[in-house]
């Protein structure tokens, strides 16, 4: 079996001192493999089936991988009933682009702590679809909304608070 050697073809994009590029390339012999790196500000679409219909969910990575290689992600869901949904952070379509079809809210109650390698594997296998990084302003608003939301998991909120503090320090 050929040894896997990393060869980065192009520098990752930076926002301040924070890396936001999601795609790097790795060579295995003469074969190139796309590797998506889930870092703060990265976004992706997940797809699931409900009642025979495919649904896309836009998600944002809120933290860089921790010591256990896990990140916190939050989905954006269509804002249908503002009086019943968590409106700690509402996102307009023009803030994200074509990946978002309607005014949405960050669904903090369904935020997840996910393995970064599992997300990378999902992108490589076309189970998830990478989207461009979100703006620094949107990332900060979604993080602040996480801290303000009464529905957000408090253990995850501590990690989001650290990420927000590190971001603000630059």
């Amino acid at each position: 079996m050929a040894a896997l050697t990393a060869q980065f073809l192009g520098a990752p994009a930076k926002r301040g001192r924070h890396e936001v590029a999601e795609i790097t390339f790795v060579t295995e012999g003469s074969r190139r493999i796309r590797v998506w790196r889930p870092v703060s500000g990265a976004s992706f679409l997940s797809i699931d089936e409900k009642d025979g219909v495919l649904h896309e969910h836009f998600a944002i990575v809120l933290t860089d991988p921790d010591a256990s290689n896990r990140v916190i992600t939050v989905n954006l869901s269509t804002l249908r009933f503002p009086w019943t949904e968590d409106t700690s952070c509402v996102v307009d379509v023009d803030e994200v682009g074509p990946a978002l079809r309607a005014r949405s809210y960050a669904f903090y109650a369904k935020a997840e702590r996910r393995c970064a390698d599992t997300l990378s594997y999902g992108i490589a296998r076309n189970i998830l679809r990478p989207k461009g990084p979100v703006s620094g302003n949107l990332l900060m608003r979604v993080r602040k909304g996480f801290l303000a939301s009464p529905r957000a998991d408090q253990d995850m909120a501590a990690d989001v608070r650290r990420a927000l503090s590190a971001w603000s320090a630059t």
Side-chain angles (χ1 to χ4, degrees):
M1 178 169 242
L4 184 67
T5 57
Q7 177 185 5
F8 296 101
L9 305 176
K14 295 264 185 184
R15 187 181 299 127
R17 284 184 258 156
H18 301 279
E19 193 175 298
V20 293
E22 298 112 355
I23 304 290
T24 57
F25 291 90
V26 176
T27 60
E28 181 180 2
S30 60
R31 188 173 152 217
R32 289 188 181 173
I33 303 167
R34 288 178 58 177
V35 178
W36 183 80
R37 299 183 53 217
V39 295
S40 291
S43 65
F44 60 93
L45 288 176
S46 61
I47 302 166
D48 68 1
E49 183 181 347
K50 184 177 181 182
D51 300 326
V53 178
L54 293 179
H55 298 274
E56 293 180 331
H57 303 282
F58 185 84
I60 300 171
V61 179
L62 299 183
T63 61
D64 286 328
D66 63 14
S68 300
N69 199 33
R70 295 168 67 86
V71 296
I72 295 173
T73 64
V74 66
N75 290 337
L76 299 184
S77 292
T78 301
L79 184 63
R80 290 189 175 91
F81 307 106
W83 55 89
T84 62
E85 293 164 346
D86 184 352
T87 56
S88 299
C89 182
V90 175
V91 180
D92 288 316
V93 174
D94 61 346
E95 292 183 87
V96 174
L100 201 60
R101 294 191 180 104
R103 194 166 196 227
S104 300
Y105 69 100
F107 199 168
Y108 297 117
K110 296 264 182 158
E112 295 180 280
R113 193 179 302 270
R114 303 170 88 171
C115 176
D117 291 339
T118 301
L119 291 175
S120 295
Y121 180 82
I123 296 291
R125 297 289 179 233
N126 292 318
I127 298 165
L128 306 172
R129 293 191 314 206
K131 294 296 174 185
V134 298
S135 71
N137 182 45
L138 179 57
L139 178 61
M140 185 166 297
R141 282 187 40 235
V142 174
R143 284 175 171 169
K144 285 181 177 179
F146 197 103
L147 299 178
S149 173
R151 298 181 183 163
D153 178 276
Q154 293 307 301
D155 288 336
M156 285 191 249
D159 290 340
V160 171
R161 187 174 292 106
R162 277 191 289 279
L164 185 58
S165 296
W167 182 274
S168 300
T170 59

